[in-house]
Amino acid sequence: MENKSAQVNRIVQCAESLESGNINIYDFVTYLGEKNSSVLCIPDDKIQIITQAITRIEADNCSKGEKGALLEKITRAIFDNTIFSCVRNCRTSTNEIDLYVQWTEIARLTQLQIAFPYFGDSFLCECKNYGEPVGVTYVGKFCSLLLCSNVSLGVMISWNGVTGRGKWDASKGLIKKFALKENRYIVVLDKNDLKQLSRKETNIFSLIGNKVQALKLDIDYSTYLKSHPAESEFARSGEK
């Protein structure tokens, strides 16, 4: 592995090449995204955190409380960095972690939000510490929270995913119906997705982008929507 000085020198050389070739960062990053480039993968120090957390979660003696803390650790390793900033951390009476995530100033200056528009200006991320797939009731609450918070993307990190034998069944079906009706997207990252990220088989931009593109089609979902515990926080912030 290169030392820090060698890495910096390579970055400088890359930047100088971009400048001399009259290539803007938007075109460069868009190209990397289309190619699913490893350049966009999570940094090695964060990969180590995610890998160690996954190993511990899969241990037989890992308690439910510890698994919840480890999932939170994985979530922050993915989204709390020089590109994304977790600006709000909401905890309810259960074990889920609600994060309000937005682009950092560095990311905005390099126009990353334009290269990856499906993230919007900000998005919500929830970490579900369940021993089984997340059911329709909670997915409905998350749908309601997205509507209340006026964001177009919600990322749900659930070790065992969500319920549904097929893509139109149970929680999976509700997520698709919600996407069609509201043009808002709930992307679920399960243990297999997290392992892919830890092995650098994909990057978070391509992973979420591909899942957003897959969310299409229609049916009435409104009966599933129930109030989310954090909605009052967004309602109060909107009154200010």
Side-chain angles (χ1 to χ4, degrees):
M1 182 178 294
E2 290 181 316
N3 59 38
K4 196 67 176 179
S5 178
Q7 290 177 339
V8 170
N9 287 336
R10 289 186 61 193
I11 291 171
V12 170
Q13 291 172 3
C14 180
E16 290 175 346
S17 296
L18 288 174
E19 291 283 357
S20 62
N22 195 27
I23 301 173
N24 62 54
I25 191 66
Y26 168 74
D27 291 335
F28 179 61
V29 173
T30 300
Y31 171 81
L32 294 177
E34 291 173 350
K35 296 296 184 182
N36 192 24
S37 172
S38 61
V39 173
L40 297 176
C41 286
I42 298 169
D44 288 339
D45 59 332
K46 302 288 187 179
I47 289 291
Q48 184 176 11
I49 292 173
I50 295 171
T51 301
Q52 290 176 347
I54 289 174
T55 300
R56 180 58 189 151
I57 288 173
E58 293 185 319
D60 293 335
N61 62 345
C62 187
S63 67
K64 181 178 179 180
E66 186 180 1
K67 287 180 180 178
L70 289 168
L71 282 176
E72 178 180 5
K73 197 171 186 179
I74 290 172
T75 302
R76 289 195 172 278
I78 295 172
F79 290 117
D80 201 358
N81 47 52
T82 57
I83 296 177
F84 295 114
S85 175
C86 300
V87 298
R88 179 175 293 185
N89 190 347
C90 306
R91 291 179 182 271
T92 67
S93 58
T94 53
N95 290 326
E96 57 265 16
I97 297 93
D98 307 334
L99 300 175
Y100 184 77
V101 188
Q102 66 181 15
W103 299 97
T104 62
E105 187 64 21
I106 292 175
R108 291 181 185 277
L109 288 173
T110 53
Q111 298 185 314
L112 284 179
Q113 78 277 16
I114 298 176
F116 304 107
Y118 42 84
F119 283 101
D121 290 329
S122 59
F123 60 94
L124 301 182
C125 180
E126 289 215 349
C127 179
K128 300 301 299 175
N129 179 25
Y130 286 179
E132 56 189 22
V134 177
V136 169
T137 298
Y138 189 81
V139 171
K141 291 181 180 181
F142 198 31
C143 291
S144 182
L145 182 60
L146 288 188
L147 292 173
C148 179
S149 59
N150 197 31
V151 298
S152 60
L153 176 66
V155 178
M156 181 180 290
I157 296 182
S158 170
W159 186 254
N160 292 304
V162 297
T163 59
R165 295 181 179 179
K167 61 184 179 181
W168 286 105
D169 182 45
S171 295
K172 291 180 180 178
L174 175 55
I175 289 171
K176 280 187 169 289
K177 297 161 194 173
F178 182 70
L180 175 72
K181 182 67 175 182
E182 299 293 343
N183 290 322
R184 299 171 193 260
Y185 306 97
I186 293 177
V187 167
V188 179
L189 303 184
D190 62 18
K191 57 188 174 185
N192 295 321
D193 297 314
L194 298 178
K195 289 177 181 179
Q196 279 191 310
L197 288 171
S198 72
R199 295 191 294 260
K200 293 190 176 183
E201 294 173 358
T202 186
N203 61 72
I204 195 63
F205 302 98
S206 298
L207 182 60
I208 290 181
N210 290 339
K211 286 177 179 280
V212 167
Q213 291 301 317
L215 288 173
K216 307 294 176 184
L217 293 182
D218 181 27
I219 279 188
D220 183 21
Y221 64 93
S222 59
T223 57
Y224 294 104
L225 302 189
K226 295 184 181 181
S227 177
H228 185 284
E231 284 187 29
S232 58
E233 295 293 329
F234 287 102
R236 283 196 290 270
S237 64
E239 293 172 357
K240 296 179 180 180

